């Protein structure tokens, strides 16, 4: 499903630095706000959020992206609708050290090691189907390696 692929592509490229407190991962059960690196190597602030669809009981998933050449130099902003046929969408976040899932990610823990996405979609015929996807966050594992703080 394209919606989950878009989420996955951005989450796989999460960017964070303990030395820059502007780069945060803020997330709860229905939105995610983080920094990522795009395919051209630019840092981008990415926000996924849900919006009620006025025409029916479904939700729309929105993605807002702001690209930077440097943290203070904004070069582009874009907001796009990813999918308008969402019945339900829920995120949860794994802290592998405690092996505990969080509905709201605590900022003091830096990055989750994994994001779980539970989604319900409606297809063109009105049929509902549900998917669950787990996305491993590679950078979360490298932040914990010995010697990282010396780089």
């Amino acid at each position: 499903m394209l919606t989950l692929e878009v989420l996955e592509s951005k989450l796989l490229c999460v960017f964070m630095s303990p030395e820059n407190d502007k780069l945060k991962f803020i997330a709860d059960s229905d939105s995610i706000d983080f920094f990522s690196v795009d395919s051209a190597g630019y840092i981008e602030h990415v926000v996924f959020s849900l919006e009620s669809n006025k025409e029916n009981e479904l939700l729309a998933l929105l993605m807002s992206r702001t690209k930077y050449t440097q943290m203070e130099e904004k070069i582009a902003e874009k907001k796009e609708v990813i999918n308008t046929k969402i019945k339900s969408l829920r995120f949860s976040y794994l802290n592998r050290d405690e092996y505990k899932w969080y509905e709201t990610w605590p900022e003091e823990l830096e990055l989750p090691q994994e994001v779980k996405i539970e989604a319900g979609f409606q297809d063109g015929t009105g049929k509902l189907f549900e998917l669950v996807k787990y996305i491993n966050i590679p950078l979360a594992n490298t932040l914990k390696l010995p010697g990282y703080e010396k780089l």
Side-chain angles (χ1 to χ4, degrees), residues 13 46 59 75 90-91 105 114 116 125 150:
C13 296
V46 180
L59 302 167
I75 59 170
R90 193 175 127 210
F91 302 104
W105 185 251
E114 203 161 36
K116 178 181 177 183
T125 67
K150 296 176 185 174

Side-chain angles (χ1 to χ4, degrees), residues 1-19:
M1 161 101 334
L2 181 59
T3 301
L4 298 181
E5 290 171 359
V6 170
L7 283 159
E8 181 177 30
S9 71
K10 295 299 177 189
L11 285 166
L12 286 174
C13 296
V14 165
F15 180 76
M16 185 175 202
S17 170
E19 297 169 6

Side-chain angles (χ1 to χ4, degrees), residues 37-66:
V37 178
D38 72 4
S39 58
Y42 291 112
I43 294 173
E44 59 182 0
H45 181 206
V46 180
V47 180
F48 286 100
S49 59
L50 292 172
E51 186 176 275
S52 296
N53 191 335
K54 296 171 180 75
E55 300 159 9
N56 52 40
E57 296 178 7
L58 299 175
L59 302 167
L61 178 64
L62 306 176
M63 178 176 65
S64 171
R65 296 182 297 157
T66 305

Side-chain angles (χ1 to χ4, degrees), residues 51-103:
E51 186 176 275
S52 296
N53 191 335
K54 296 171 180 75
E55 300 159 9
N56 52 40
E57 296 178 7
L58 299 175
L59 302 167
L61 178 64
L62 306 176
M63 178 176 65
S64 171
R65 296 182 297 157
T66 305
K67 289 187 181 193
Y68 297 89
T69 54
Q70 297 178 13
M71 283 312 299
E72 286 76 31
E73 192 176 327
K74 187 186 304 186
I75 59 170
E77 278 186 279
K78 186 175 185 180
K79 189 171 190 175
E80 55 193 296
V81 177
I82 304 300
N83 190 318
T84 59
K85 300 197 181 292
I86 297 175
K87 186 68 175 168
S88 63
L89 185 68
R90 193 175 127 210
F91 302 104
S92 50
Y93 312 92
L94 177 65
N95 177 352
R96 200 170 281 135
D97 295 339
E98 302 172 316
Y99 205 80
K100 180 178 178 181
W101 287 94
Y102 287 89
E103 295 291 316

Side-chain angles (χ1 to χ4, degrees), residues 88-147:
S88 63
L89 185 68
R90 193 175 127 210
F91 302 104
S92 50
Y93 312 92
L94 177 65
N95 177 352
R96 200 170 281 135
D97 295 339
E98 302 172 316
Y99 205 80
K100 180 178 178 181
W101 287 94
Y102 287 89
E103 295 291 316
T104 299
W105 185 251
E107 273 186 52
E108 68 272 8
L109 293 181
E110 293 179 346
L111 287 175
Q113 283 82 24
E114 203 161 36
V115 176
K116 178 181 177 183
I117 304 169
E118 298 172 273
F121 298 97
Q122 185 174 24
D123 68 12
T125 67
K127 181 179 176 183
L128 295 174
F129 61 99
E130 295 184 357
L131 298 170
V132 176
K133 183 161 186 83
Y134 294 87
I135 301 169
N136 184 280
I137 308 293
L139 182 62
N141 300 311
T142 60
L143 285 175
K144 300 203 181 293
L145 292 175

